[in-house]
Amino acid sequence: MLKTVKFGGSSLADAERFANIKHIIELDPSRRIMVVSAPGKSKAYRHKITDLLYLCNEHIKYKVDYSEFFSMIETRYRDIANTLGIADKVDLDYEFAEIHRGIEEKRGTNYLVSRGEYLCAKLMAAYLGYDFVDASNVIIFDYRGNIDFNKTNNALVNAFKASGGRIVIPGFYGSMPGGAIQLMTRGGSDVTGAIAAAALDCDMYENWTDVAGILMADPEVVKNPLPISHITYSQLRDMTYMGAKVLHEETVLAVREKNIPINIRSTLDIHNPGTVISSESEVALSGRMITGLAGRKNYTIISVAKNHVSAEIGVIRQVVETCEKMDIQVENMLFGIDCFSLVVRSEQVAANMYNFVAAMEQICGENSVKIRENISLVAAVGCRAEGSRAGIYSKMLDALAEQDIRIRIVTQGPEEANIVIGVDDKRCDDAIRVLYRAFVG
């Protein structure tokens, strides 16, 4: 058995959290590949290290003294090292001097911000007695800024073989051709862990955070939602895309191809089994009609009327090409005999709304376009077998109608694994709560 384990910033906030992680590692000797984020907030520390590094970067950019924020960063790491008794194992004087040298040499934002994960991994490796592997040596980007998986996989395999079989890798960054540091988007440490798990053919990828798995709904919207014990890769992707705060949305892609399960666990409740994400064939389905609910606000519905548009060849192609030229991503398209509707993100169309409407009217005729803004998409994810789908539809529609929540659109994914409804933004949270009560109680 071989596991990759990733720990988020809240799990690494201070020396006490480091000690808790060591206990977790010692409970299972198969946890031999570790990926860490930069330390997050705790009771004693009000700032995330990454946020402080970005603040330093902004001050440097405008030639303003950044020493106050950098001092806070130094103090944080020195406190962890001193409390854990590893100050003699990591030369922090050298490391901070090197960061200052990097600033003077103008190595850039990516270099500076990546030092949060870098230093955390250095301390964790020293504390556990693991080998430190710099992500810049094993997470390799190509010239377009995409991860080169062939080079990355080979580098990870070679680094693991050259180690003592137990390694710590900083998350969130890698290197471009030529060696310059390249950051991932925020939350990218999740992706680093998934890439490592896939490259090293792990049996499990454990992602440890401050929540005990995935919940059926956002706890800020639904009070005490039930946990999800098992969920498929596809269902997780759907929930994440629709706004659920679970994992970086690219995490699943790295492990799905090799069918490596992901286990979401909590460092605050280490004996809770959390949520297991795996292929559908392995999922132990509960008796519920749906797996979870998620919602996303700020969409716009653009409805276009044109007689016999469904039978007119070329119209939809022109519409899609217009969207592409204006960098507008179409989330959904709905068709009638004499009309069709596009669902797009409001921020993408806002700057080009008048030009877009003009283009649509040129294609379909004057006064053919209607705009409805401030729309939310609410998804019921993981709908059960086809025989029960009619019951799910009726239950959803009846529950929403009883609470006078008007439905603007209804659609479902091509895999028939989720049902999406559109409601007014101001009723988004209400809709999620109503549907949760309808399906869960």
Side-chain angles (χ1 to χ4, degrees), residues 5 67 270 331 438:
V5 291
S67 60
I270 65 174
E331 302 277 335

Side-chain angles (χ1 to χ4, degrees), residues 311-388:
E312 188 169 336
I313 296 173
V315 172
I316 301 304
R317 174 183 55 78
Q318 294 177 65
V319 170
V320 172
E321 287 178 349
T322 300
C323 292
E324 183 178 355
K325 289 176 183 176
M326 296 186 180
D327 290 326
I328 297 171
Q329 178 183 347
V330 178
E331 302 277 335
N332 263 303
M333 293 188 72
L334 298 95
F335 296 93
I337 296 173
D338 298 320
C339 65
F340 62 90
S341 294
L342 310 175
V343 181
V344 300
R345 296 188 188 182
S346 298
E347 68 269 18
Q348 289 186 348
V349 76
N352 284 314
M353 180 65 79
Y354 294 113
N355 291 335
F356 186 78
V357 170
M360 291 301 100
E361 290 187 339
Q362 186 175 1
I363 296 169
C364 298
E366 291 187 8
N367 302 316
S368 61
V369 181
K370 292 183 179 180
I371 307 296
R372 183 177 296 280
E373 298 179 295
N374 303 314
I375 296 296
S376 293
L377 299 184
V378 176
V381 174
C383 300
R384 294 297 172 240
E386 192 167 342
S388 67

Side-chain angles (χ1 to χ4, degrees), residues 378 400 405 421 423 427-436:
V378 176
L400 294 168
I405 297 176
I421 60 167
V423 301
R427 301 304 305 273
C428 177
D429 291 353
D430 291 336
I432 293 173
R433 283 189 284 264
V434 166
L435 293 176
Y436 184 86

Side-chain angles (χ1 to χ4, degrees), residues 96-124:
F96 289 124
E98 180 63 22
I99 294 172
H100 282 297
R101 187 159 40 250
I103 293 170
E104 292 170 3
E105 294 174 356
K106 294 182 171 53
R107 296 180 196 172
T109 302
N110 287 354
Y111 168 78
L112 178 58
V113 174
S114 71
R115 299 304 86 183
E117 279 74 11
Y118 170 87
L119 289 175
C120 188
K122 280 272 187 177
L123 293 179
M124 183 60 75

Side-chain angles (χ1 to χ4, degrees), residues 3 16 61 72 99 119 149 175 214 281-282 350:
K3 294 180 180 179
E16 182 180 355
K61 178 180 176 182
M72 294 168 67
I99 294 172
L119 289 175
F149 284 99
S175 64
I214 305 170
S281 62
E282 295 177 347

